Amino acid sequence: MFRLSVITHVYNGQFAMLRQLHTWMQIPEVLRAQIEFIVVDDYSDEPLQLPECKINLTLLRIEDDIPWNQPGCRNLAAVIATAPWLLFFDADNVLAPFGFDLMLRGLDQIPKKCLYTFGRIEDGKIASSHVNTFLVQRDAFFAAGPYDEDFCGHYGYDDIMLRNLWKKSVGEERYIADIMFQQLSIATQSLDRDLQANRNLLIKKINQGLPRPKGMTRFQWSIAERRSMGTASTA
């Protein structure tokens, strides 16, 4: 049984995922065997292709063209995940193998009903933790959330909505400074980043008392590939 499900998603981000895969393959094999990696290809123009490697990996493909579908991607990965702990982060944030080692060492000692955030380095300087990067126990994630897919289609605030749901239903968050992600200088181009629609939606949901999200994975999806420590298969 896996101890940790590592979850990220990508849209037209082949380079970012190759960078992630390069880092993951540097994790010692005895530790890598305890992790399942779940990557969601959010309807990229060209389906994501990853080279052969010895890793437990599930590559999912969203089949519907939904702008800013991060909430759906993360919900789908959480549904598929089999480990008791989920580590969410964007594809442009990289955790060194040593960070995975520290995380795995601490999983059995840390409280389950807590959301953990981490340090971040950007341009060689310590930056604030990324709102999309956190470790959470799977059952607690679904008890608080999941992500509200009403925010799909427009940019922003889905992450803030989830944190508000967490504070309402569970509450505790802790910052782990010893584990630091590196911020890559990668940004998705040619997408509308207007925040107004989702800002208004968040205000509306706050005024409604932060209702629980209704419905998950409101799209067609498929398993593009599944690997198990060296073997690969295409669905």
Side-chain angles (χ1 to χ4, degrees), residues 74 90 92-93 117-120 127-134 159 163 181 183:
R74 288 174 170 234
D90 290 346
D92 60 354
N93 281 249
T117 62
F118 306 98
R120 183 166 57 122
S128 59
S129 61
H130 198 296
V131 68
N132 276 338
T133 300
F134 60 91
D159 42 19
R163 290 298 185 85
F181 282 74
Q183 177 72 54

Side-chain angles (χ1 to χ4, degrees), residues 16 21 38-39 62 79 94 108-109 113 121 123 126 131 139 141 159 165 171 196 215:
L21 195 61
I38 303 175
V39 178
I62 306 297
V79 169
V94 177
D108 294 334
Q109 285 76 44
K113 292 186 178 181
I121 299 176
D123 296 327
I126 296 178
V131 68
D139 289 344
F141 169 78
D159 42 19
L165 288 169
Q196 190 61 47

Side-chain angles (χ1 to χ4, degrees), residues 1 31 33 36 49 79 81 87 124 137 147 149 184-185 188 213 218 227:
M1 180 178 178
L31 298 179
E36 67 171 349
Q49 300 291 328
V79 169
L87 175 64
Q137 206 264 350
Y147 278 90
E149 294 184 25
L184 301 180
S185 298
T188 305
R218 307 171 188 173
R227 305 178 185 184

Side-chain angles (χ1 to χ4, degrees), residues 91-108:
D92 60 354
N93 281 249
V94 177
L95 180 62
F98 180 69
F100 282 104
D101 187 6
L102 287 177
M103 192 175 296
L104 287 168
R105 289 176 185 271
L107 286 182
D108 294 334

Side-chain angles (χ1 to χ4, degrees), residues 3-7 20 23-28 31-32 34-37 87 89 93-107 179-181:
R3 299 178 63 212
L4 176 66
S5 295
V6 169
I7 293 170
Q20 291 286 352
T23 300
W24 297 344
M25 290 308 299
Q26 296 179 52
I27 301 172
L31 298 179
R32 203 184 330 136
Q34 302 174 38
I35 305 172
E36 67 171 349
F37 298 88
L87 175 64
F89 57 94
N93 281 249
V94 177
L95 180 62
F98 180 69
F100 282 104
D101 187 6
L102 287 177
M103 192 175 296
L104 287 168
R105 289 176 185 271
L107 286 182
I179 298 177
M180 304 198 71
F181 282 74

